[in-house]
């Protein structure tokens, strides 16, 4: 699936949180968990292993003329609770 984001936000989070939106592509190749984060806007939380750590991404499923793609809203190093959920659900 295609993955897109706002470049200025990606650069900001690379500097501040040391996480790159581009890492989501690698994360999706390994076991991960996904749940719905909010109804409006409809956003999903994806937790998985990438860049030597467990990370959390907030995404929206969107469509354009080429079809569906993932829009990355934000990302961070997973919290203890998120890491525990990932480990419990990917065993």
């Amino acid at each position: 699936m295609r993955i897109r984001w706002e470049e200025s936000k990606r650069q900001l989070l690379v500097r501040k949180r040391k996480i790159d939106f581009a890492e989501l592509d690698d994360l999706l190749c390994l076991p991960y968990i996904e749940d719905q984060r909010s109804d409006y806007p409809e956003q999903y939380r994806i937790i998985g292993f990438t860049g030597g750590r467990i990370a959390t991404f907030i995404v929206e499923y969107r469509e354009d003329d080429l079809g569906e793609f993932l829009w990355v809203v934000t990302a961070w190093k997973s919290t203890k609770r998120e890491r525990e959920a990932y480990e419990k659900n990917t065993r």
Side-chain angles (χ1 to χ4, degrees):
M1 176 171 285
R2 293 177 301 134
I3 301 171
R4 301 178 73 181
W5 54 76
E6 181 183 324
E7 184 59 25
S8 61
K9 189 166 187 180
R10 183 193 74 81
Q11 291 176 16
L12 175 68
L13 292 181
V14 166
R15 281 192 315 274
K16 288 184 121 184
R17 298 181 184 169
K18 308 293 188 248
I19 189 161
D20 191 335
F21 290 169
E23 293 178 40
L24 181 57
D25 193 42
D26 292 337
L27 183 150
L28 295 174
C29 294
L30 299 169
Y32 64 91
I33 62 173
E34 179 177 357
D35 60 11
Q36 190 165 356
R37 177 74 172 197
S38 69
D39 290 328
Y40 188 79
E42 192 171 299
Q43 294 181 333
Y44 295 85
R45 177 176 64 170
I46 298 175
I47 304 170
F49 192 80
T50 186
R53 67 189 176 298
I54 299 175
T56 299
F57 288 78
I58 302 299
V59 301
E60 297 174 357
Y61 287 88
R62 296 185 179 181
E63 277 193 46
D64 62 13
D65 293 341
L66 299 175
E68 191 173 63
F69 64 92
L70 279 178
W71 178 261
V72 182
V73 176
T74 192
W76 58 82
K77 179 182 170 186
S78 296
T79 65
K80 180 180 178 183
R81 192 173 192 177
E82 290 167 336
R83 288 190 307 271
E84 289 170 351
Y86 171 79
E87 290 167 2
K88 177 182 176 186
N89 290 290
T90 58
R91 288 183 187 182

